[in-house]
Amino acid sequence: MPPVSADWTSTQHRRSVTWIVALATAALVFDGYDLVVYGTILPILMKDPTQLGAVSAEQAGVLGSYALVGVLIGALLAGAFGDRVGRRKLTLISITWFSVGMAAAAMTHSVTMFGAMRLLTGIGVGGLIATTGAVVAEFAPPSKKNMYNAIVYCGVPLGGVMASLLALLLRDAIGWRGLFWIGALPLVILLPLVLLRLPESPRWLVARGRIDEAQAITARTGIPSPTAEELVVERAGAQKVGFAALATRRYALGTALLGLMSFGGIMLTYGLNTWLPKIMENAGFDAKNSLAFLLVLNGGAIAGVVLASRTADRTGPQRVIVGTFLLAVLSLIVLTLDLPLAVLLGAVAAAGIGGIGTQILIYGFVANYYSTTARAAGVAWCAGFGRLGGIFGPLVGGLILGAGLSSNIAFYIFAGIALLGAGLTVLVPTRHESVATSPSGTHRAAEPAMVTVD
């Protein structure tokens, strides 16, 4: 059958990729829900000691960081094993893990147990976030990699929107425990679909020498295996697998810079998601309006990053990420000013693009920066190291508010981090695209290779 377009070898290929993208997006919706729902229940936990016990501002910041410590552990574990055991297995394990963790957190009755279950849940979240970048990079058509990556990782802020809306509508009726039980639903509604519809990556199978299995999946799904030319490009200087490849001359500098960029992006993401409702309450807005700011933050990220990703597919992600980091700087400074509500809402939406949206673009940049044998490790490194920024984000807000200082100080700190992120992005080594011939005879860009190889 002739290809239906330059991007697809067949209608079956397009249908298979659509399923994969939809499932990956749904999984990250619940990941985002898990990580943002804590911010929506934080005022309750701090005001009502009958829930878990007394929770001070400093303790709240620490509790917010436990999940991110788990994400760090989960991402690094995924990086250690993802390039060896495959994308499908880790996706299934991660969905099961974080669903069970959310259910367990809903049944806790002490600060200590709640924190432990948040850490446990974070391990599953980290595994899924790290694995999803590799899945998208290996299944998406070359000319749509950044856009599909943005669509999938928009699941995280979309989960934030869902958490905000459900908190507004249901928090008083079902309580914070009911909101956490909702986060456990993937175990029964998503896992069966992933078992049926998510194949192993043919590109990963070929890279591991399992040619017959890759061909069987290609025949069943229409998803093409990599061409011989693409494999030559990928294997140039990439004899090492997983984390070992990240320390080679081919990747070392880029890996360090991408990790620092991710640190900044995730610090902005979780610092704002955790503390924006409380900061706005302190500024004089009521509880529901404060949650609305969280909704605008995540909604702005979704709308903005989809548009930005289309530009990234045409011009490359590096310039676009510099621009979104600078947008974060500007919007966070605006939030320190005494301006009308409409202007503040616009600044919050722009901060969503510059913080959450930037991190989504970074994931796409990272996933396509590495060869197949190092891809999961590269994404895991950036997701894992970046979580250190996620840990510091909630802690910075907690320390500032706990000390009775102006919330503007937190905004200035976050703006400085965004400015540094823009500078680091400029320094990432340039790449070149190699052109290979697809099985259908049309030309397509192979995955990017570094200019300098071992």
Side-chain angles (χ1 to χ4, degrees):
M1 178 184 293
V4 295
S5 73
D7 296 316
W8 310 105
T9 61
S10 65
T11 55
Q12 183 186 30
H13 177 204
R14 181 165 56 189
R15 184 165 56 249
S16 296
V17 171
T18 299
W19 264 105
I20 291 165
V21 169
L23 290 172
T25 303
L28 289 190
V29 164
F30 282 98
D31 267 9
Y33 179 90
D34 163 68
L35 292 169
V36 173
V37 74
Y38 174 70
T40 71
I41 69 166
L42 189 55
I44 291 178
L45 299 183
M46 294 179 69
K47 290 178 181 176
D48 185 0
T50 66
Q51 299 298 322
L52 295 173
V55 179
S56 66
E58 291 83 356
Q59 285 177 313
V62 172
L63 284 173
S65 297
Y66 282 164
L68 301 177
V69 173
V71 172
L72 168 62
I73 296 170
L76 294 179
L77 288 173
F81 297 105
D83 291 314
R84 289 176 168 82
V85 305
R87 320 310 188 201
R88 174 180 159 86
K89 286 182 181 178
L90 274 182
T91 300
L92 293 168
I93 291 170
S94 298
I95 290 172
T96 302
W97 194 299
F98 81 72
S99 299
V100 171
M102 285 293 282
M107 295 185 286
T108 59
H109 292 277
S110 71
V111 172
T112 300
M113 285 304 299
F114 181 78
M117 293 305 101
R118 293 298 290 153
L119 188 147
L120 177 71
T121 304
I123 293 174
V125 172
L128 192 59
I129 288 176
T131 305
T132 300
V135 168
V136 177
E138 291 171 15
F139 285 114
S143 66
K144 297 182 183 294
K145 285 184 182 294
N146 285 287
M147 186 183 73
Y148 278 8
N149 177 83
I151 290 171
V152 169
Y153 277 99
C154 272
V156 176
L158 186 59
V161 170
M162 184 171 78
S164 302
L165 285 173
L166 291 179
L168 283 169
L169 297 173
L170 300 177
R171 190 175 66 180
D172 293 341
I174 65 176
W176 71 266
R177 297 182 191 280
L179 293 175
F180 269 65
W181 277 112
I182 290 172
L185 288 177
L187 189 63
V188 294
I189 64 175
L190 183 59
L191 189 67
L193 287 173
V194 174
L195 280 166
L196 289 172
R197 291 289 185 171
L198 179 66
E200 185 53 86
S201 162
R203 181 175 291 277
W204 178 81
L205 289 169
V206 170
R208 300 296 291 173
R210 295 158 63 176
I211 310 298
D212 291 344
E213 293 175 63
Q215 291 176 342
I217 289 174
T218 296
R220 188 175 76 250
T221 65
I223 298 167
S225 298
T227 66
E229 292 90 342
E230 287 177 299
L231 290 176
V232 168
V233 170
E234 284 207 346
R235 289 171 177 170
Q239 292 86 358
K240 295 183 178 179
V241 177
F243 282 123
L246 306 189
T248 61
R249 184 163 57 93
R250 186 184 193 201
Y251 290 130
L253 177 58
T255 294
L257 292 169
L258 290 165
L260 290 170
M261 289 161 55
S262 186
F263 180 100
I266 296 178
M267 183 174 182
L268 293 172
T269 296
Y270 292 108
L272 292 172
N273 268 314
T274 298
W275 286 110
L276 189 62
K278 187 65 177 175
I279 288 172
M280 291 307 177
E281 274 194 35
N282 290 351
F285 294 94
D286 62 33
K288 287 198 172 182
N289 281 332
S290 297
L291 288 174
F293 278 103
L294 197 61
L295 181 63
V296 171
L297 180 80
N298 287 277
I302 294 169
V305 78
V306 170
L307 295 175
S309 68
R310 294 177 66 87
T311 303
D313 276 324
R314 294 193 299 269
T315 67
Q318 201 161 358
R319 294 178 184 176
V320 179
I321 291 171
V322 171
T324 55
F325 263 133
L326 293 177
L327 179 63
V329 175
L330 178 61
S331 59
L332 289 166
I333 291 174
V334 169
L335 286 174
T336 67
L337 306 176
D338 185 15
L339 296 172
L341 177 61
V343 177
L344 291 178
L345 288 171
V348 169
I353 300 170
I356 302 167
T358 295
Q359 187 56 34
I360 291 171
L361 293 170
I362 290 172
Y363 280 134
F365 190 14
V366 171
N368 294 296
Y369 195 82
Y370 297 97
S371 62
T372 300
T373 53
R375 180 171 290 115
V379 177
W381 153 253
C382 288
F385 183 77
R387 255 52 195 187
L388 294 176
I391 293 166
F392 282 112
L395 286 176
V396 166
L399 291 172
I400 289 172
L401 294 182
L405 299 175
S406 169
S407 58
N408 286 350
I409 294 176
F411 287 135
Y412 286 130
I413 291 174
F414 293 145
I417 293 294
L419 185 60
L420 180 60
L424 292 171
T425 306
V426 172
L427 299 177
V428 176
T430 56
R431 309 167 300 162
H432 68 80
E433 302 286 339
S434 298
V435 176
T437 303
S438 72
S440 62
T442 58
H443 289 281
R444 62 183 182 179
E447 296 199 22
M450 297 289 293
V451 174
T452 304
V453 297
D454 290 333

